[in-house]
Structures are given as structure tokens and as C-alpha cells.
């Protein structure tokens, strides 16, 4: 019988070489999503897939499935601050991601932490709050506008959600442009907006496309078009914003980071799956799957079964993004 040597606590101490090889750490403030589709579940998976390390801080516990959100249980602001402070006193931070914070009071608690780390890039995602009571949603948006936008490097959101938030009095027959949204965001201190789901006019028989545009107050900077299919996804916004936060944490140039984050989202949606009876969930580890020709055969060379995958929300990118942590195989 072979004996196991006792564990030496000193062996856990990191060497300079280990420190140098440590992945970038990204703190995410977001809701716990038991469906695994969005919230902290999406952030942890995405940040890991991009080669960084997630520091998840729970702001709310959602009661939801893959189809809809029913309710939430809030985490108190003091508990949010404590979660973050203990980790921040221990870990070197490279980036922040802000998702759904639960309440106006929690927005204030998170803003208190962000104010101490103004040099760390912050990506903020604004989801649709249509499931909240109107008064709660309005107080949340007011606090988000006043306290989170001034600290935000890039604000990510759907075109309609951002229009309602940044330009609530917009009454033109023409949709607000990404630049106009960026101008409105800049008035509150946000440098860039990444606007998703911008509807493009159909061209002949080529189908309907949507645009995703990074813009500043000076104009559109970069973007990516996806083909629109009549299928519902959940968790796409958290996936995109978390990917961007991870890329900025490793000091990727902004426009290149946006392009890679959009490619990552596109391929995650392309490989998406439906775990329940609701919407399709992005597969953030699509790149870890074996190539189709390998997956099609079992270990003995016979074909193996695979689950059905619903139609994607856009064409697969021509080249897969490469994670800061190294190369991948893409199915």
C-alpha cells in the first residue's frame, strides 16, 4: 500500500513564474441564473472560454427558466460590497463586467466599489427590464444612468433597450443611429456603446440581417452583421459583454476586441442548444468540441448519435477567435 505524503501548505505559494502565467482576472457583478443561460452562469463560462478567470459577485437570485424570468430575491447591498472587497484585497484585477444588479440600492453599492478602481476597464450590459414592476425598473434605470454610466468604458445593449434608456423621448419615424445613442451615453460619461440588433432593410432574396455596431460620439467605429432567423436565444447579451470584458482585461485594442467578441458570440449561437422547452442557450465552449468528422465516429469508427441543434442566429464566422489562453479546436 502506497502512502500519500502529507500536504505541505508552503507548496501552495505561487512562484514568480506561476504569477506571470496567471490569467487575467475579471470581476462580474450579475444575477445568479439557475437556468445557466445568462447572468453569472454566462459570465463565468464566457470569461473562462476567453482564457481569463472570473470573479463572480452575486447581486440577485433570479427565479427563471429558459423561457422567462418570474421573480428575483435580492442580495443586500452590504453583502455585495463584502463579496467584492474580500476578493479585491487579495486578487489583482484586470477588468470589470456589470450585468443586472437587482435594484437601485444595489446599483449604488456596486458604484461605490467601482469608484475605487477607476483605472480598471468596465463593460456594462443593460438587459431588458420588462419583467420588473414599472416603478422598480424606472428607479433602477435612473440609478444606473447616474452611477454606472460615468464609470463605463463600453455600454452593451440591444438597440431598442438602449434607445428607450438613452433617448426616452425619441419620437422620430427613423430609428436612432448607434452614433446618436453614443452621443446620449457620452453625456453621462460613457465613451462607447456596442449596439446589437440594429435592423437592416432586407435586400432582395438574401434574407434579413441585423447589424451590431460599436460607436462613439464621433460615429460608428466597427461592427458585424448577422443573418436574422426566427428563433429565440437567451443569454446572448451577457455572453457578448463578458467576452468583451475579458478581452479588454488582457489589454486587447478596443475595435479588435469587439470584432473578436462578436465572432465568439456568433459561433456560440451557431452551436447553441435547447436544454429545456424555452429558448436556445449559447454554447460558450463550442471550440472545445471535436471536429465534425471526428465527432461523427465513435471510438470504434462507427457513427455516434448527437443531439439536435436548432437553427443559428447568424452565419458562422470564417475564422474562430483565439482565446488569450491559447489555441482551440473548433467544430
Amino acid at each position: 500500500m502506497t502512502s500519500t505524503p502529507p500536504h505541505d501548505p508552503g507548496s501552495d505559494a505561487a512562484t514568480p513564474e506561476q504569477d506571470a502565467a496567471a490569467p487575467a482576472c475579471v470581476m462580474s457583478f450579475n444575477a445568479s441564473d439557475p437556468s445557466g443561460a445568462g447572468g453569472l452562469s454566462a459570465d463565468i463560462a464566457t470569461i473562462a472560454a476567453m482564457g481569463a478567470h472570473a470573479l463572480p459577485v452575486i447581486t440577485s437570485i433570479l427565479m427563471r427558466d429558459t423561457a422567462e424570468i418570474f421573480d428575483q430575491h435580492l442580495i443586500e447591498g452590504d453583502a455585495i460590497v463584502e463579496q467584492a472587497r474580500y476578493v479585491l484585497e487579495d486578487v489583482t484585477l484586470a477588468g470589470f463586467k456589470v450585468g443586472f444588479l437587482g435594484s437601485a440600492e444595489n446599483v449604488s453599492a456596486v458604484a461605490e466599489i467601482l469608484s475605487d478602481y477607476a483605472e480598471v476597464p468596465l463593460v456594462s450590459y443593460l438587459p431588458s427590464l420588462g419583467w420588473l414592476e414599472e416603478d422598480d425598473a424606472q428607479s433602477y434605470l435612473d440609478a444606473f444612468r447616474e452611477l454606472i454610466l460615468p464609470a463605463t468604458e463600453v455600454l452593451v445593449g440591444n438597440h431598442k433597450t438602449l434607445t428607450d434608456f438613452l433617448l426616452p423621448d425619441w419620437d422620430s419615424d427613423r430609428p436612432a443611429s448607434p452614433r446618436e445613442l453614443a452621443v446620449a451615453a457620452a453625456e453621462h460619461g460613457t465613451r462607447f456603446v456596442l449596439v446589437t440588433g440594429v435592423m437592416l432593410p432586407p435586400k432582395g432574396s438574401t434574407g434579413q440581417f441585423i447589424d451590431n455596431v460599436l460607436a462613439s460620439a464621433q460615429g460608428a467605429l466597427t461592427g458585424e452583421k448577422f443573418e436574422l432567423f426566427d428563433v429565440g436565444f437567451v443569454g446572448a447579451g451577457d455572453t457578448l459583454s463578458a467576452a468583451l470584458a475579458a478581452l479588454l482585461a488582457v489589454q486587447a485594442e478596443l475595435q479588435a476586441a469587439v470584432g473578436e467578441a462578436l465572432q465568439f458570440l456568433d459561433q456560440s449561437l451557431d452551436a447553441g442548444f435547447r436544454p429545456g422547452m424555452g429558448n436556445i442557450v449559447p454554447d460558450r465552449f463550442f471550440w472545445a468540441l471535436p471536429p465534425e468528422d471526428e465527432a461523427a465516429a465513435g471510438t470504434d469508427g462507427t457513427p455516434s448519435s448527437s443531439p439536435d441543434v436548432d437553427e443559428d442566429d447568424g452565419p458562422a464566422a470564417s475564422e474562430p477567435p483565439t482565446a488569450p489562453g491559447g489555441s482551440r479546436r473548433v467544430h
Side-chain angles (χ1 to χ4, degrees), residues 15-331:
T15 65
E17 291 78 8
Q18 289 172 322
D19 285 340
C25 294
V26 180
M27 177 167 283
S28 170
F29 297 94
N30 212 339
S32 173
D33 178 352
S35 76
L40 282 178
S41 300
D43 290 346
I44 294 168
T46 301
I47 290 168
M50 301 308 293
H53 176 65
L55 307 173
V57 176
I58 299 175
T59 59
S60 168
I61 301 173
L62 296 181
M63 308 294 115
R64 70 159 304 160
D65 56 19
T66 59
E68 62 182 308
I69 299 172
F70 302 99
D71 200 357
Q72 68 168 328
H73 292 294
L74 289 171
I75 303 297
E76 291 186 0
D78 288 346
I80 294 173
V81 172
E82 282 191 57
Q83 289 179 77
R85 292 290 188 201
Y86 282 124
V87 176
L88 290 170
E89 290 172 3
D90 173 50
V91 176
T92 300
L93 190 69
F96 279 118
K97 148 79 191 280
V98 161
F100 179 58
L101 304 181
S103 68
E105 291 76 14
N106 287 358
V107 170
S108 179
V110 171
E112 174 190 329
I113 296 167
L114 296 175
S115 66
D116 292 336
Y117 297 86
E119 74 285 357
V120 177
L122 166 64
V123 175
S124 297
Y125 169 55
L126 184 66
S128 171
L129 301 179
W131 60 276
L132 277 179
E133 294 290 337
E134 185 175 351
D135 289 346
D136 292 338
Q138 190 58 56
S139 63
Y140 181 93
L141 293 173
D142 290 343
F144 195 94
R145 185 182 295 108
E146 179 183 351
L147 300 174
I148 301 299
L149 288 191
T152 298
E153 177 80 2
V154 185
L155 174 65
V156 180
N158 176 268
H159 181 254
K160 183 182 186 308
T161 300
L162 291 185
T163 300
D164 292 344
F165 174 55
L166 295 169
L167 298 169
D169 298 324
W170 185 267
D171 59 1
S172 173
D173 294 334
R174 170 184 66 79
S177 70
R179 178 185 176 276
E180 287 166 323
L181 293 172
V183 169
E187 293 176 358
H188 300 283
T190 300
R191 295 182 61 193
F192 304 96
V193 294
L194 178 51
V195 188
T196 65
V198 181
M199 299 299 296
L200 296 174
K203 294 184 178 180
S205 59
T206 58
Q208 178 73 57
F209 283 80
I210 57 173
D211 207 359
N212 305 280
V213 181
L214 174 73
S216 70
Q218 287 68 49
L221 300 173
T222 189
E224 184 101 13
K225 295 180 178 64
F226 295 164
E227 189 170 359
L228 179 65
F229 290 92
D230 187 18
V231 63
F233 289 97
V234 62
D238 274 319
T239 302
L240 176 60
S241 51
L244 181 57
L247 288 163
L248 293 180
V250 296
Q251 300 182 336
E253 187 272 329
L254 177 59
Q255 294 188 43
V258 167
E260 184 170 341
L262 286 169
Q263 288 184 36
F264 179 84
L265 172 63
D266 189 28
Q267 292 186 87
S268 296
L269 297 179
D270 184 46
F273 58 94
R274 180 178 279 120
M277 296 180 290
N279 295 307
I280 294 174
V281 175
D283 184 354
R284 292 106 183 174
F285 288 94
F286 64 87
W287 47 268
L289 298 175
E292 288 182 357
D293 55 348
E294 293 181 18
T299 56
D300 59 354
T302 59
S304 61
S305 61
S306 61
D308 292 333
V309 178
D310 291 273
E311 199 167 41
D312 67 295
D313 193 35
S318 57
E319 293 185 6
T322 301
S327 61
R328 317 171 179 175
R329 292 190 301 166
V330 180
H331 75 294

